[in-house]
Amino acid sequence: MFKAIHTDNAPAALGPYSQAIQAGDFVYVSGQIGIDPSKGEVVDGIEKQTKQVLANLQAILTEAGTDFSKVVKFTIYLNSMEDFATVNEIYGDYLTEPYPARATVEVSRLPKDVLIEMDVIVYTK
């Protein structure tokens, strides 16, 4: 059994998908980009986009009754690996040990030409 998770505190889906799906003991959160949900606009720069992505993820996790401490896997998509150190530093401020597994990849283009996108998998038990 599974259910869709939705909050107005994160950007609405840009297509036919859910912000997140809870399936059993797992929550799968769709990729989030640096859109400020109160304005519907992408914030500027890698630092602000990274913080906004993490805020959007947190809003969805809160709606699902969980938080970053239960994340088991992050995937980070970067427009440029030149931003890796900056993203890594900001990302680290949101997490505690044991840190989740993670993949970080450079991609040629992201929705709305943003600089970063992240998705997560959460184990709720």
Side-chain angles (χ1 to χ4, degrees):
M1 182 164 155
F2 62 91
K3 70 175 185 172
I5 306 293
H6 174 79
T7 178
D8 291 333
N9 295 321
L14 298 175
Y17 61 89
S18 298
Q19 288 175 330
I21 293 288
Q22 182 162 9
D25 295 335
F26 289 90
V27 176
Y28 300 86
V29 181
S30 294
Q32 295 298 302
I33 59 175
I35 294 176
D36 178 339
S38 68
K39 298 177 183 174
E41 297 176 3
V42 175
V43 297
D44 293 328
I46 190 63
E47 294 91 353
K48 287 181 181 177
Q49 284 189 25
T50 301
K51 290 175 183 176
Q52 187 64 60
V53 166
L54 289 161
N56 294 342
L57 288 169
Q58 182 58 65
I60 295 166
L61 295 177
T62 298
E63 184 68 24
T66 190
D67 59 36
F68 284 127
S69 71
K70 299 285 189 172
V71 173
V72 294
K73 177 72 178 355
F74 261 88
T75 305
I76 302 173
Y77 307 91
L78 295 175
N79 177 266
S80 171
M81 275 297 185
E82 296 294 321
D83 294 327
F84 180 84
T86 300
V87 169
N88 200 49
E89 183 175 333
I90 295 167
Y91 163 90
D93 290 341
Y94 287 76
L95 303 171
T96 58
E97 292 189 45
Y99 299 119
R102 181 178 83 183
T104 305
V105 296
E106 181 180 274
V107 296
S108 64
R109 193 167 181 202
L110 291 163
K112 297 193 173 278
D113 293 318
V114 296
L115 304 173
I116 184 170
E117 181 173 353
M118 294 184 196
D119 63 60
V120 298
I121 301 171
V122 180
Y123 182 62
T124 60
K125 288 288 180 175

